[in-house]
Amino acid sequence: MSTLRYILDNWDTLRPQVLTHLEIVAISILVAAVAGLALGILAARSERFAALILAVTGIILTVPSFALFGLLSIWFGLGNPPVVIGLILYALLPIVRNTRAGILAVDSAVTEAARGMGMSGQQVLTRVELPLALGVILGGLRQATVMIVAIATVGAAVGANDLGQPIFSALSRDTGTLEQVLAGIIPVAIIGIFADVVLAGVQRLLSKGRVAVAAT
Amino acid sequence: MITFDRVSKRYGDVDAVHELSLEIPSHEIVIFVGPSGCGKTTSLKMINRLIEPSSGVISIDGTDTSTVDVNELRRSLGYVIQQVGLFPHQTVAENVATVPRLAGWDKRRIVARTEELLELVGLPAAQYATRLPAELSGGERQRVGVARALGIDPNVLLMDEPFGAIDPIARERLQNELLRLQRVVGKTIVFVTHDIDEAIRLGDRVALFSTGGVLEQYDTPEELLAHPASQFVEDFLGEGRMVRRLSLITVRDAPLAVINGSLPPIEKVDADATLRDALDAVLRAEDGRVLVVDSERPIGIVDADVIRRASR
Ligand SMILES: Nc1ncnc2c1ncn2[C@@H]1O[C@H](COP(=O)(O)OP(=O)(O)O)[C@@H](O)[C@H]1O
Ligand SMILES: [Mg+2]
């Protein structure tokens, strides 16, 4: 209760932090979705490219966020830019991996029939493969979103005015309180859960009759 | 007419199809038959260029297929495969509308065509148009596959073991329907199967392949059964070759014995039945003689001698 009290009392400070957090996550996920989709399609077409891109995006994911944001701030300065770029890099792996898996899971008889009826490669992709892979692709997008909503808090360390700020300022001062930390954590959790539920709903809605592949 | 002119397909050092030369006349059903791995599918897919030949020329009505746009070529050739490959995210109607949509038909024409095609394959549009493939039986799915292949009324239908995954009773019904359909549409049909009975039943001509993609014999089913060109063909036709042949001859066409004064036989067989049915009746009859009737009118008698003579 005291946390809710704290949040309400400090809403003027927290409000811009919530908005910045949402903005950072939204931009990152949009760019990552477009890039990840393209890379995932290429990865479905070429085994060698798949091995390369999955290794690279996998390695990126092992770099601690604190270090990655710090590194990126050397080139992109402090504030939101290094955070957005870092989050895009983190979000790539689940999107690329699921896009590839979703396309490869399409029954080869279906794509053969499509080609046999005279669809071009482009038409097979847009009319058959992507619609059928959509559920799996959305699964990757969902994972990526939930993940970067949480990681974005670390961006406060390189100057992004997001929901990491109340957490960091509480931890860096003797006067920091638990309420202050929770004032950052709770909105992050709410955003994360909300994004997860909405994307899960969309996924279910669009997956009717489509390839069922566990979104790992 | 589809012409294969010394067409080969090699994978590494191995021939999947070897120097195939063959003419497929228009409006006929030609069957590619042979044991598994003998190059039937490869030969078929070289027609719509899902597989490109290593050498040789395939032409359709005199045009070398390698000179035309590959997607245009495929739209002009209906294609049906064993696994059907319906689009699981689209309704039956949307599936059937695939090629008309690719060809840029307007909406009204597509709707009309879709309904017409579904009726043609025995799936009333009112009942089936909005279903998803997952809501169909195997046989219904394959009918949708055939309807989809007929989308813009291609002259040629390529079918790769279309009934291979369907249970025997439904398969026989689909075979009959294909023959009925063919009487309506009169397509040039190239049909792949490994089942010699299906080949004999459906084919106007049968091309029998042996391993390595070698064409062993290309003949009418009657000729194939009467005069196998090689030991391989004879072995592939297997036991019961003569009995099988009887199912290709209608009773009416056999040299029937005349009905003379004596007591007519009690067993009857219709003039439009096959000699195989007649043989069954002969075996059933006390005296081995069966009366042949043409819509109730007696036209002759069939017995073992008649059947033996007809089968030569
Ligand atoms: N992509 C391929 N690579 C190598 N060999 C192949 C390929 N496709 C088919 N073959 C070989 O070619 C032969 C003929 O295959 P196929 O035409 O599919 O036979 P069928 O349809 O008569 O069963 C087989 O021996 C098969 O293993
Ligand atoms: Mg085959």
Side-chain angles (χ1 to χ4, degrees), chain B residues 2 24 28-30 44 47 76-80 145-151 153-160 178 181-182 185 187-192:
Chain B
I2 304 172
I24 298 167
E28 286 197 8
I29 302 182
V30 167
L44 188 81
I47 300 176
S76 71
L77 306 168
Y79 185 51
V80 181
V146 172
R148 183 173 68 169
L150 290 170
D153 206 13
N155 292 323
V156 176
L157 212 49
L158 308 176
M159 310 181 87
D160 194 349
L178 182 68
L181 189 76
Q182 173 67 350
V185 297
K187 302 294 180 194
T188 307
I189 298 179
V190 189
F191 186 110
V192 166

Side-chain angles (χ1 to χ4, degrees), chain A residues 112-113 115 117-118 127 132, chain B residues 45 74-75 79 89 148:
Chain A
E112 188 189 314
R115 287 197 303 136
M117 281 185 290
R127 297 187 188 196
L132 286 172
Chain B
K45 284 187 180 175
R74 289 177 187 160
R75 282 173 211 174
Y79 185 51
H89 59 305
R148 183 173 68 169

Side-chain angles (χ1 to χ4, degrees), chain B residues 11 14-17 34-43 51 160-161 192:
Chain B
Y11 290 108
V14 185
D15 277 7
V17 176
S36 174
C38 69
K40 310 178 291 290
T41 294
T42 307
S43 301
I51 295 175
D160 194 349
E161 308 214 18
V192 166

Side-chain angles (χ1 to χ4, degrees), chain A residues 94 97-98 101 135-143 203 211-216:
Chain A
R97 189 187 53 199
N98 278 38
V136 182
I137 295 173
L138 281 172
L141 199 68
R142 191 176 140 204
Q143 278 186 329
Q203 197 183 350
V211 205
V213 170
T216 45

Side-chain angles (χ1 to χ4, degrees), chain A residues 10-24:
Chain A
N10 293 276
W11 185 242
D12 282 348
T13 322
L14 278 170
R15 208 181 82 100
Q17 292 169 343
V18 169
L19 291 178
T20 305
H21 202 94
L22 287 173
E23 184 191 325
I24 288 175

